[in-house]
Amino acid sequence: GKTGTTSGFAQVADMRTNNPQILHGILEILAKNIADYASYQIRSGAQVIQVFDSWAGHLDESAFIEFAMKYQKQVISSIKARHPDTPIIIYMAPDTYSKNGQRLSLLAETGADIVSIDHTIDLQEARNIIPDHIGIQGNLDPHILRDGSHDQIRAVTEKCLKVGNGKHHIMNLGHGIEATTPEENAAFFVNYVHEFIHQR
């Protein structure tokens, strides 16, 4: 089905302005069901949960706090109430109001254990924004993984790993892997991460 991206989520934006109580009711139901499903996943063996809020970067700060962050917190607190030892990662895709680290400080306040960093901000800059007790994940540019040489992939991956320094850092991409990424590039990336870690 249509996601609403072509219209700028016009129907949701209209509801936000003209029927906010209805929208809040929908979001309450979604938050409860997402937390319930995540809890089911943990009971079924999941060792970590990542919460994606892919489209929240379309919202300015006040709308984000009211219509996204509020429910991110509900999802995370509900999962934590049932599974306090299961790590939770939160990720927001880069967009108008979220690229270049614009929402990182707010994501760090959601109760998540780890904030996943997109590829539009330098990882060291992101680490400086996120409090030390919160882990970070990321943030290799998926376009470099797809189009770069092995030397380029190695250089950017090594830079990320050195920022992470083996502490509170999960090496990953800054966005989903591109479907046209050569398998040999993906394999090189994974193998290099293992090699780097074993050399420490």
Side-chain angles (χ1 to χ4, degrees):
K2 295 176 68 176
T3 63
T5 52
T6 54
S7 66
F9 301 92
Q11 290 177 313
V12 176
D14 180 72
M15 191 184 302
R16 212 170 63 227
T17 302
N18 297 313
N19 292 290
Q21 286 139 339
I22 292 176
L23 182 55
H24 280 298
I26 293 169
L27 292 170
E28 289 276 357
I29 293 169
L30 287 172
K32 178 184 182 303
N33 287 338
I34 290 167
D36 287 347
Y37 184 65
S39 181
Y40 164 76
Q41 292 283 349
I42 294 166
R43 294 195 309 274
S44 299
Q47 297 174 308
V48 63
I49 292 292
Q50 180 155 313
V51 177
F52 290 82
D53 204 340
S54 298
W55 302 116
H58 287 263
L59 301 172
D60 65 27
E61 185 167 341
S62 61
F64 172 77
I65 290 170
E66 181 178 358
F67 293 99
M69 186 177 179
K70 175 181 178 181
Y71 300 101
Q72 293 168 355
K73 286 181 172 181
Q74 283 189 22
V75 169
I76 292 168
S77 64
S78 180
I79 298 169
K80 282 292 186 183
R82 289 175 270 187
H83 306 281
D85 297 325
T86 299
I88 299 176
I89 305 167
I90 190 162
Y91 176 77
M92 187 190 312
D95 214 304
T96 305
Y97 296 104
S98 56
K99 62 186 176 182
N100 303 318
Q102 293 178 81
R103 291 286 178 263
L104 292 181
S105 60
L106 290 176
L107 290 177
E109 296 176 12
T110 59
D113 302 287
I114 299 159
V115 175
S116 190
I117 313 298
D118 72 52
H119 57 285
T120 63
I121 183 173
D122 181 79
L123 193 62
Q124 183 62 66
E125 186 179 347
R127 178 71 278 179
N128 293 341
I129 294 170
I130 303 292
D132 289 341
H133 69 280
I134 297 174
I136 56 173
Q137 175 175 268
N139 70 333
L140 179 68
D141 187 335
H143 300 107
I144 291 176
L145 185 64
R146 181 190 64 193
D147 302 325
S149 67
H150 285 187
D151 285 344
Q152 290 172 313
I153 295 167
R154 179 190 295 110
V156 179
T157 301
E158 183 174 325
K159 182 181 177 184
C160 290
L161 288 166
K162 284 182 175 178
V163 170
N165 197 29
K167 298 176 182 176
H168 304 297
H169 175 234
I170 299 171
M171 187 63 217
N172 204 339
L173 304 184
H175 203 294
I177 190 167
E178 297 283 343
T180 54
T181 301
E183 289 184 22
E184 56 269 26
N185 285 11
F188 177 83
F189 166 63
V190 171
N191 291 335
Y192 180 70
V193 172
H194 288 171
E195 177 186 322
F196 182 93
I197 292 170
H198 290 145
Q199 288 176 350
R200 292 183 61 82

